[in-house]
Structure formats: structure tokens, C-alpha cells
Amino acid sequence: MASRRVAEILRAAWAESPEGTGLPASLAAACVRSLSVSGVGMALMTDQGPAGIIAATDGAAMELEELQFTLGEGPCVDASHSGRPVLQPDLARTAPLRWPAFAGGALQAGVRALFAFPLQVGAIRVGVLDLYRDRVGPLSADELIEALSFADAATLVLLNVQAGYPVSMPVPVLDDRAEVHQATGVVSVQAGVGLAEALVLLRARAFADERPLGNLASDVLAGTVSFRKDDDTG
């Protein structure tokens, strides 16, 4: 069911941005419509911290992303480093001690609750999806499930952005099997690229060859398919 919901989110975002360049903004706007949140921000992340702001639905969301990008602290930074959501339903109560530099600016921007979801696939750190509210209160269980679906959809979109590829077609649903991660590492070495770009290359080959991603990953691990630039195997 989760995979179907992610596919639905991507199809709706694609319908609003068929050329692909506006997918992050379309996805962020859809997230606001689907959840009881005031705004949404999306940022690229690396091992060193925030690397760029990809989308923000309003001024407060942009302020949140800029604060975290400038200061190098905040819920999105912690979510990316830990690989787990950081849920702050009452920012005024918890943020000043945890993120003293970030807290003042966020509260001044009118943010009262903030929920940061890491966007990553295995060891590949892609970005963070930040949801904020202008009032105190947690996400309900159903809202949390919906937010996680939007996070999966955002991960697929940002993988292409981080790897430097334009999103030119509806992207498939995430495949989180161990063999896909292992094959991504092999492709990274063979093609001489980072993990994010390696996963995009692997998925693009699977799409072009009209075969399951897991099946292609198995062939990469077996050595029957190579991504070396001077090797035409497979």
C-alpha cells in the first residue's frame, strides 16, 4: 500500500510539472494540501551537512531552510545525520536547549512545530523533507504514514537532482533490498561516480532495458553486467 501511495504522489506531481523541472515544488505543495501543516521545505544534504535548498512553499519554510543551511544545526541536520525522523510538536519548549542558534530564528518566523524526515537510500544521504506548523501539536498516526510516503517520493526526485540528472520521466518506486545497495556500490566503483549518481545509473539502465531493478542488480553483482565506460558487457 505504501508503494502505491508513493506512485500516486509522483504521478500527481508529474501531472503538475510534466517537464520534470518543477517536481520538487509540486511535491512540496501537494504535501501541504495532504497534511495539516502550514508549509514544507526540501533540502539537499551531504555527509558534511546542508548542501542546497530545493523547494519551499512559503516564506517561513524558506526561512527554516536558510537558517539550517547557514547555521549547520536544526532538526533537518539531526534527521539527516541520524537517519531517523526528528519530530518536534512544541518547538518553543524543546528547541532552545537542543538548537540554541536555530530556535530563535525559527520561532521568530512563526514556526511552532517542526517535523523533519531524512531522505536516503541505504548509505546514500540525499536530503531532508521539513514540515512545519504555525501552531503546537503532533502529527497523527495517519499523518505520519502519509508524511513518510511523501518522504519516499521526495527521495526519488532528489536522487536525480543530487546526481546531476534532470528528472525526465516518472521515477519508479524505491527498491530497498540489500542487493540493490551492494550493486550501487559496484556501479560507483566501475563508473567512477558517487553513490547517488550510481543508483540513478542503475535505475536508468533497468528502466531502459525494461527489467526489474533487483534482477539487474543481481547481474551486476554476478559480473555479467558492467558499468565501466570501456566495457560493453551487458
Side-chain angles (χ1 to χ4, degrees):
M1 290 180 65
S3 295
R4 287 200 297 271
R5 179 57 184 145
V6 172
E8 290 171 359
I9 291 169
L10 289 170
R11 282 195 295 269
W14 188 263
E16 292 187 8
S17 180
E19 77 289 349
T21 57
L23 275 178
S26 296
L27 194 147
C31 189
V32 174
R33 293 193 298 268
S34 296
L35 295 163
S36 59
V37 297
S38 305
V40 171
M42 201 182 304
L44 287 176
M45 300 292 291
T46 67
D47 292 342
Q48 289 70 46
I53 301 167
I54 297 300
T57 57
D58 56 27
M62 179 60 75
E63 179 69 14
L64 280 177
E65 301 307 330
E66 289 179 343
L67 279 169
Q68 295 180 103
F69 182 83
T70 302
L71 299 171
E73 73 167 34
C76 91
V77 178
D78 284 8
S80 182
H81 285 166
S82 69
R84 298 187 300 271
V86 175
L87 310 177
Q88 297 289 307
D90 188 348
L91 207 63
R93 183 175 63 84
T94 57
L97 289 177
R98 188 167 180 180
W99 309 288
F102 165 79
L107 294 169
Q108 187 174 359
V111 177
R112 295 296 176 264
L114 182 58
F115 314 99
F117 296 85
L119 309 179
Q120 60 188 63
V121 184
I124 305 172
R125 185 175 285 116
V126 181
V128 173
L129 181 69
D130 289 323
L131 318 180
Y132 89 86
R133 279 178 173 159
D134 57 11
R135 67 185 188 283
V136 172
L139 294 173
S140 68
D142 287 344
E143 288 174 329
L144 182 57
I145 292 171
E146 180 75 344
L148 289 169
S149 293
F150 270 95
D152 279 350
T155 299
L156 288 163
V157 171
L158 291 197
L159 266 173
N160 291 269
V161 174
Q162 193 180 58
Y165 283 81
V167 182
S168 58
M169 63 184 72
V171 285
V173 174
L174 285 168
D175 191 318
D176 201 35
R177 286 175 288 180
E179 64 181 2
V180 174
H181 301 320
Q182 293 166 4
T184 298
V186 172
V187 173
S188 175
V189 173
Q190 290 179 344
V193 298
L195 288 173
E197 184 171 354
L199 182 55
V200 172
L201 289 173
L202 190 67
R203 289 169 49 239
R205 173 76 73 86
F207 183 90
D209 292 350
E210 297 183 348
R211 60 187 302 193
L213 182 58
N215 180 269
L216 176 62
S218 295
D219 283 352
V220 170
L221 294 175
T224 57
V225 171
S226 174
F227 281 75
R228 292 186 180 89
K229 294 178 180 179
D230 57 350
D231 191 342
D232 293 329
T233 302

